[in-house]
Amino acid sequence: MIKIAPSILSADFADLGREVRRVSSADWLHVDVMDGMFVSNISIGVPVVKSLRKATDMFLDVHLMIEKPVRYIDAFADAGADLLSVHLEADMPPGIRAALEAMERRGVKKGIVLRPITAAEAVLPYIKDVDLILVMTVEPGFGGQKFMTDQLPKIEAIRRYIEEYNPACHLEVDGGVDPNTAPLVVRAGADVLVAGSAVYGAADPAAAIRTLRGE
Ligand code: DX5
Ligand code: ZN
């Protein structure tokens, strides 16, 4: 079963409650947190997650594009995130490990994320301890970029690792997912698709969600 996670980065932040209701037929809500350091852009932070938690029962999938994310795990857990994902490039391995341990303590689902430059093998030290691996198919920082086809072999490789080491782990793909690229990432082994512009840019977001699911 494919899950669709609309990214609110493409929503109208002045009317976020309505924007969340527009995608309520989706499975998860994807929240992009950017610090202006790990990526050049600055997006949203803890107070917005807290407000989203009051506005919806949807599963909040929070993608942390921040340096040394271990500093913020408790704050986002308190805000009501269901899953936190940290970039492997955002700290040294002990820092990543500490972030995952903090999530475990807080009962939050644990994710790791790979930038396009990072190889599939980088997940191996963590794969048995995480609930989700997120493969970026654009450079993180902005919505509306072009899907990077060269990431498909990496998705396939990580799907093989998941089958071998942790079959319950989700494989999520983020960046440039639209009705044309969704079948490619599903065929490569993804089971959670993030989509910003393909959902919020559509006249009928519910129909766009069904199309992305392959219905
Ligand atoms: C990019 C973000 C994505 C972004 C996806 O750094 O992680 O979640 O919102 O947007 P689209 O689907 O438009 O590529
Ligand atoms: Zn994202």
Side-chain angles (χ1 to χ4, degrees):
M1 177 61 179
I2 302 298
K3 292 188 194 301
I4 306 299
S7 166
I8 57 153
L9 190 60
S10 299
D12 176 2
F13 288 165
D15 207 345
L16 213 41
R18 184 188 70 113
E19 293 287 70
V20 171
R21 288 191 294 278
R22 281 174 81 208
V23 300
S24 59
S25 63
D27 304 276
W28 292 1
L29 198 63
H30 185 82
V31 183
D32 288 305
V33 176
M34 305 179 183
D35 67 351
M37 288 292 286
F38 181 72
V39 293
S40 60
N41 200 7
I42 297 177
S43 58
I44 57 170
V46 173
V48 174
V49 173
K50 204 169 171 186
S51 295
L52 286 169
R53 181 70 298 159
K54 287 189 205 138
T56 181
D57 291 331
M58 287 175 83
F59 184 93
L60 296 181
D61 163 28
V62 179
H63 176 189
L64 298 178
M65 284 162 273
I66 61 182
E67 292 283 352
K68 302 204 187 320
V70 64
R71 299 173 295 150
Y72 290 98
I73 302 304
D74 276 328
F76 282 102
D78 287 341
D82 292 294
L83 180 145
L84 294 170
S85 57
V86 294
H87 270 267
L88 294 183
E89 310 85 5
D91 202 347
M92 303 299 276
I96 300 300
R97 195 50 80 188
L100 294 173
E101 283 164 6
M103 292 176 213
E104 175 74 30
R105 270 200 304 279
R106 295 302 310 265
V108 173
K109 297 245 183 280
K110 297 163 284 188
I112 51 173
V113 195
L114 289 80
R115 290 187 105 120
I117 187 79
T118 304
E121 301 80 68
V123 305
L124 290 174
Y126 307 99
I127 192 165
K128 289 188 175 150
D129 305 317
V130 295
D131 303 289
L132 173 140
I133 298 171
L134 168 52
V135 175
M136 293 304 300
T137 42
V138 297
E139 277 304 335
F142 298 90
Q145 303 181 76
K146 191 174 176 305
F147 179 82
M148 296 169 70
T149 321
D150 63 357
Q151 297 300 302
L152 289 169
K154 186 157 99 189
I155 300 168
E156 289 168 1
I158 293 176
R159 169 49 66 192
R160 287 194 293 272
Y161 291 148
I162 286 176
E163 293 311 315
E164 186 169 353
Y165 298 112
N166 183 3
C169 182
H170 290 293
L171 179 47
E172 183 175 48
V173 171
D174 182 8
V177 174
D178 64 20
N180 295 316
T181 57
L184 305 178
V185 301
V186 170
R187 207 173 307 141
D191 69 323
V192 185
L193 311 187
V194 176
S197 23
V199 169
Y200 279 107
D204 181 349
I209 289 162
R210 283 195 299 275
T211 305
L212 290 170
R213 268 200 203 111
E215 289 171 8

